[in-house]
Amino acid sequence: MRKLATLLVTAAFTALMASAAFAGTWKNGENANQGKWWYDNGDGTYAQNGWQWIDGNSDGVAECYYFDAEGWLYTDTVTPDNCLVNASGAWVENGQVKTKALSTAAATGWFEKAGLQKNAQQNVTYNYITTCSNPAFKTIGNLTFYNYQTFASDASHPAKEGYEWKTVQAAISFNDANANLYGTSYAFAFQDKNNIDLFKDWDGAERTFTLNVNGTDFTECKKSLSLNWNGYRAVNGSFSCLVPVGYDGMFVAFFDNAAYTEFTDEPSLINSLRNANIFFLD
């Protein structure tokens, strides 16, 4: 029996085992359990019931370990979900110990470095200025960016850390006579705050890309866009992105076409974003 003054292990705690990396202490079993290892999380709980990333030597890199229902470490064997662990209990794949770099500080991407920030809220209607097909005319419409829905996938296994769909909707309505007579034009960006290279294609086609989060590559991330025009008077659009569970680096921006410039490089994109309504998908 482990000597802990308080032992509170909840279902919510065990559900986080695959992704959490607590600051705790490795401890050896006593009496009949000598030779066995367990991990004291340092908060009145211990690791049990599955996988946990642990940085045992505090070098900023965690290894993954499997614990049974009583909290004893699996070593030099195959885990119940058919993964190999070595004599130290670390998860091994193709002869290599699997590791994950731990984030020591919040990432600062190009978005923050450019001094950009969210400047618009969901479910609020904004006046939206756009040029018509005849650049001598402008028209004012209304833009509303609606709350998004999140659909999470299974993230219970470290080899299959989950993705989630983030789906958002937007509506733009034009009421000016110029819009009816000349049409309208506008610009948008569906981007990532940490990596400017992800979405260099600005069309509405679905794209697959790779995101690296805390040292782990997520290779099946996707983005897509669909638009529905209602004559010249209204545009309804939806944006979807498949990203790792909990990832909050995505944003959508709508541009005032009077100040819009073609984003052929990083400076032109940033210049356009300074004149945009920016919404976060956090």
Side-chain angles (χ1 to χ4, degrees), residues 42-206:
D43 61 356
T45 65
Y46 57 82
Q48 67 175 153
N49 287 331
W51 293 98
Q52 182 167 312
W53 289 100
I54 296 173
D55 180 9
N57 58 1
S58 301
D59 64 352
V61 178
E63 291 75 33
C64 207
Y65 302 89
Y66 197 96
F67 299 86
D68 67 16
E70 295 183 349
W72 298 116
L73 176 68
Y74 276 68
T75 59
D76 200 18
T77 188
V78 176
T79 63
D81 51 0
N82 295 317
C83 291
L84 180 65
V85 292
N86 63 18
S88 298
W91 174 31
V92 176
E93 193 172 83
N94 298 322
Q96 299 294 319
V97 174
K98 301 291 287 184
T99 61
K100 181 170 76 169
L102 302 180
S103 177
T104 57
T108 300
W110 65 272
F111 186 89
E112 287 83 4
K113 290 178 181 177
L116 299 169
Q117 59 185 344
K118 178 175 68 171
N119 58 16
Q121 298 178 342
Q122 297 173 350
N123 294 324
V124 176
T125 299
Y126 296 88
N127 285 337
Y128 184 82
I129 302 174
T130 180
T131 59
C132 300
S133 55
N134 183 337
F137 293 94
K138 296 180 182 179
T139 185
I140 296 178
N142 294 318
L143 163 67
T144 305
F145 184 89
Y146 296 104
N147 282 329
Y148 64 85
Q149 293 178 294
T150 296
F151 304 93
S153 62
D154 181 19
S156 62
H157 192 284
K160 300 177 180 178
E161 290 187 344
Y163 297 91
E164 62 185 10
W165 278 105
K166 295 185 177 182
T167 303
V168 299
Q169 296 82 37
I172 307 173
S173 299
F174 306 96
N175 299 309
D176 191 277
N178 288 339
N180 193 41
L181 183 61
Y182 294 103
T184 59
S185 59
Y186 69 98
F188 69 91
F190 183 24
Q191 261 283 1
D192 178 79
K193 292 188 291 184
N194 300 317
N195 189 340
I196 199 169
D197 295 323
L198 286 183
F199 305 133
K200 285 195 171 178
D201 53 314
W202 307 102
D203 60 33
E206 182 177 278

